[in-house]
Every structure is written in C-alpha cells, then in structure tokens.
Amino acid sequence: MPTRKRHQVDDLFDTAEAVPDPSERARGMRRYRTARRAVFASVILAPLNVLGLILMFSIVLNGVEATGPGTAQIEATQTGRTQAERSLEQWLAADESVFADAEITSWDGASNIEDVEATEQDIGYQLMTHDFTLRTADGVYYRAAVRTAYSPSKGVKVLSTPTVTPLAPSAAADWEPAEPTEGWGTTTASASATDAISSWAQALASSPNELKLATRDEDPAHVYSTLTGVDVASVSIIQAVSPVSDDGEMDSSTVVATVSVELTDADAEESTGEASTTVQYDVLVRGADTAAPYVTAWGATGSGTGLTDYENAASLDGNVDEPTTSRSGPSDGGGETAEPAPATEGQE
C-alpha cells in the first residue's frame, strides 16, 4: 500500500529543538520603537537642559539677584560699609587731627553708586560712597563721605580719605508747618478737660494704679507704666481739636489735645534749685463735654488723631494689647460703663 510522504517543513518543526515564537519578533519591534523615541526626545530636550543648567548656575553665582530687587539693593549698599567706617574711625583718631574728639553718630547709606564694566586690561567693579554723620565735641554735626570700590574677586578698597561737609541749614525761622487735621476742627479745652489732663499728667509721674484710675480703664488685666524719679511742675495745653462729621457738626465730647508737661527732678534738694525739662504729648480726652472728662490714651506729638482708647495698656501676660481698628471717635459722653447684657434663660 503506497504511503504518503510528510511535508519537509512539518518534519523540520517536529525535529527542531527550538521553534521561533512570533511574539518575540513583535516584542523586539516594540523595544526598537521605544528606543527610537527616547533618542529623538533626548535630542530635543538636551538644549533645554543645558539652558536650565546655565540659568541655575547664573542664579547661584549671582545670589543677590535670587533674593529679589529690594534685598539686592540693601545688600549692595551695605557692601564696604564696615571697611569705610573703620577707615573713617582711623582717620578721626589720627595724631593731631582737628576732628580727634568727633564721633560717628550714624551711617546714612550709600550714594553715587556706579558700575564699571570689565575690559581686556581690568576686571569690572562697583564704586559707591558711604555717608556718615559726625558730631564734634562742641556739638557741631558734619557729613562725612568715604569712597570705596568693590569687586567679588578683589574685595573692598577704600579709595581716598574722607570728605567732610557741613550739614544743610535748618528751616527758615518764619516757617510754621502744621499737622494735617482733615476731619477735625480746632476747639478749646474746657476747664474740666484741662483739669482731667493735669490729673493724668500727675498720675503719669506717680504710680501705675493712679494712672489706671485716671484713665478709667476697667479691664482687670491691664497694667500701666509710669515715669520715675520726676515730678510734674506744670501742664499747659498748646492746641486742641475735635472730630467733625461730614455734615460739619463738631463732636465736642472727644478732644485731642497737644500738651506741654514740665518735669522736675524728684530727688533734687530744694536748696539747690530745681532743674526742669519740658516734654510734649498728644492726649485723647473722652467725655470732654461733661463735668468729668478723662484721658484714655497718649502718644507722641502728631499721633493724636490716631489714638485709640487704652492703647497704652499692657496685659498681665506681657503682651501689648492690639489697638482697636477704629480711630478716635465720639466718646460715651461721661465715662459711664455699658449696661450689662440681658441674662439668658437659666441665668440670674
């Protein structure tokens, strides 16, 4: 009986030790495509990476720019300040110096700042003048200027001896500038308001408890500080203003007064005569239109229209109380305490 011959290809697959898997070829193609995409991406991203590195190194090397324009300007003007001040001190202390008794009272910043660009022969650097105020033993003030140069690679170099110039003259004697009083009108402090201010001034130089009583501060956590070693000789009112509403009506219950207080040495002997010193305050008076006004706050001259009640108090934990958001407004008309809130159900 004739036999059927097997196909040669079938024989090869039957006898082969390892038969190729079609899926392996597909995986190889996928790896090839992935590698090709990676090559193309690296070619495109490489310049961007280089640019990023350049920017990063630029920020690191020029650290001043990374902190913002304001900080950069402060750091730039501070550069060389120590060297300039040391040079000025040495110059003042030199033998037979006419300014030997003068002292530096302040550093007033830098001026005439100039950048010098680098050339083929020299490096770039920055020039600046450091300004100082001098006070002589006779109480005369001068402006001293020291010129310096700075380079990151070379450091700071003082270029010359100081320049000394007189300060500008004071204002003309006939000029009488006034504090702005928008929303406030000039008034006259009543006799009772004047007495309240005098009582406050006496308490300011006596004891914290008396000062708290004078202000009628009812907060048990509030404490006050007073002047020590002085007595109040006299109190005078320089000017007084009261708030004015939009319709032009003046609120006479609130007065802000600028007062002059004469202080004397509490320990001075009567036989030697008393030395006196005059100080000024702005004070906030509430209930000024009643028979019992009282001072609730005080501050430097010019601060009066911004004073708030009891802002001079400190709490027992040592924190200064936050001032109220409202400015000096109408008073309660006599210092009466607010009515207690109505009791809720279940409370007596």
Side-chain angles (χ1 to χ4, degrees), residues 14-343:
D14 292 339
T15 60
E17 295 181 0
V19 179
D21 187 355
S23 63
E24 289 293 336
R25 183 175 182 274
R27 282 196 293 269
M29 292 298 295
R30 286 197 296 270
R31 286 195 294 268
Y32 168 73
R33 287 194 293 269
T34 302
R36 185 175 60 180
R37 293 192 188 100
V39 171
F40 283 134
S42 63
V43 171
I44 295 174
L45 294 177
L48 297 178
N49 292 334
V50 173
L51 180 59
L53 289 173
I54 293 174
L55 292 175
M56 181 183 70
F57 281 115
S58 175
I59 291 175
V60 172
L61 294 177
N62 302 279
V64 173
E65 296 296 332
T67 58
T71 305
Q73 182 64 25
I74 294 174
E75 292 182 0
T77 56
Q78 290 280 355
T79 302
R81 171 186 172 181
T82 302
Q83 293 84 346
E85 185 170 345
R86 184 184 301 115
S87 174
L88 179 58
E89 289 175 343
Q90 294 173 351
W91 180 79
L92 291 173
D95 294 339
E96 300 180 358
S97 171
V98 297
F99 295 103
D101 295 329
E103 61 178 351
I104 302 172
T105 61
S106 66
W107 174 74
D108 304 321
S111 60
N112 299 327
I113 301 175
E114 182 180 356
D115 292 322
V116 179
E117 297 182 356
T119 63
E120 295 181 357
Q121 294 78 23
D122 198 0
I123 61 173
Y125 53 94
Q126 187 178 57
L127 297 171
M128 67 177 64
T129 299
H130 289 272
D131 299 313
F132 300 88
T133 298
L134 301 180
R135 181 179 60 223
T136 66
D138 298 330
V140 180
Y141 287 83
Y142 292 98
R143 173 64 53 81
V146 180
R147 190 69 167 168
T148 63
Y150 168 71
S151 168
S153 62
K154 299 291 186 180
V156 177
K157 175 112 179 241
V158 176
L159 300 181
S160 64
T161 57
T163 301
V164 177
T165 56
L167 295 178
S170 59
D174 58 350
W175 183 38
E176 297 293 341
E179 295 284 350
T181 56
E182 183 178 359
W184 295 75
T186 302
T187 187
T188 301
S190 63
S192 57
T194 302
D195 292 340
I197 294 173
S198 297
S199 298
W200 160 83
Q202 296 291 339
L204 183 64
S206 56
S207 72
N209 288 336
E210 291 185 15
L211 182 58
K212 186 173 183 178
L213 289 174
T215 62
R216 298 192 189 180
D217 188 347
E218 298 180 357
D219 191 330
H222 281 177
V223 294
Y224 287 85
S225 298
T226 58
L227 302 175
T228 59
V230 296
D231 290 330
V232 174
S234 64
V235 179
S236 59
I237 297 177
I238 300 175
Q239 63 177 8
V241 293
S242 290
V244 178
S245 62
D246 294 338
D247 57 5
E249 183 178 356
M250 179 176 290
D251 173 26
S252 58
S253 65
T254 296
V255 169
V256 167
T258 301
V259 300
S260 176
V261 181
E262 183 184 2
L263 302 176
T264 58
D265 186 356
D267 299 327
E269 298 181 1
E270 296 182 0
S271 59
T272 59
E274 292 184 343
S276 64
T277 301
T278 300
V279 294
Q280 286 188 2
Y281 297 92
D282 274 4
V283 296
L284 174 61
V285 183
R286 297 296 194 183
D289 57 347
T290 69
Y294 55 103
V295 174
T296 62
W298 56 95
T301 303
S303 66
T305 56
L307 293 175
T308 55
D309 295 333
Y310 313 122
E311 68 173 59
N312 303 94
S315 58
L316 290 177
D317 59 6
N319 296 323
V320 177
D321 284 359
E322 292 289 339
T324 57
T325 55
S326 61
R327 298 173 69 86
S328 303
S331 73
D332 56 16
E336 297 179 358
T337 57
E339 293 293 333

